[in-house]
Amino acid sequence: MFLDKFRNRYSFNFLAICGWIIFILFMIYTLPELYIQYIVGNTAHAIGVGFTFLGILILTIIFFILTFFVYVFEIGSWKRITNEKFLNNKYTQMAQILGIVFAFLPILILILCFILLFLQDISYKI
């Protein structure tokens, strides 16, 4: 698989852990507000959801910068994870892959919002 050559790096695992943190924050702070808006129809919480999402997006960028610094330190010191039991565990592999996906979740949502706004703008012009 594509990610197999990165799985023994500390920076990859750090980014996966950061992805899980981002996912937990996203689930705790953003989704309940969106659920309330959808069920009740109250849009007064929309600005709160926007600020919360902006905070999570800023935290994501900080995590990416920290991951880069961990990667640079890792390259300079030649440190790698050598525990084969950890590397070959299927649950660890699944958690790593989901963590990487969750790390990119706020950026993907932001890109999706821009695409939807662009498509909406095009549909109004037609």
Side-chain angles (χ1 to χ4, degrees):
M1 178 179 213
F2 172 71
L3 297 176
D4 285 342
K5 61 183 176 181
F6 300 112
R7 286 186 34 245
N8 65 344
R9 296 185 178 267
Y10 287 106
S11 57
F12 180 80
N13 289 298
F14 178 74
L15 186 62
I17 291 170
C18 292
W20 279 101
I21 293 170
I22 290 166
F23 178 70
I24 290 169
L25 290 174
F26 190 78
M27 294 300 269
I28 290 173
Y29 292 113
T30 306
L31 285 183
E33 293 291 331
L34 290 174
Y35 182 72
I36 290 171
Q37 284 178 304
Y38 180 72
I39 297 297
V40 179
N42 186 3
T43 58
H45 297 289
I47 193 74
V49 171
F51 282 134
T52 304
F53 183 72
L54 182 64
I56 291 173
L57 188 64
I58 290 170
L59 185 66
T60 302
I61 293 169
I62 290 170
F63 281 154
F64 285 154
I65 292 169
L66 286 174
T67 302
F68 175 73
F69 286 127
V70 169
Y71 178 73
V72 168
F73 176 74
E74 182 180 28
I75 292 296
S77 65
W78 295 92
K79 296 282 184 181
R80 302 257 176 144
I81 298 173
T82 58
N83 188 351
E84 291 297 324
K85 189 174 183 180
F86 173 77
L87 293 174
N88 294 329
N89 190 351
K90 295 294 180 187
Y91 295 115
T92 303
Q93 291 176 0
M94 183 179 62
Q96 287 173 339
I97 292 171
L98 286 175
I100 294 297
V101 169
F102 294 152
F104 289 100
L105 183 68
I107 294 172
L108 293 175
I109 290 174
L110 185 66
I111 291 170
L112 181 67
C113 288
F114 282 134
I115 290 171
L116 289 176
L117 286 173
F118 179 72
L119 290 176
Q120 185 179 13
D121 187 43
I122 289 175
S123 68
Y124 282 140
K125 290 181 181 179
I126 293 179

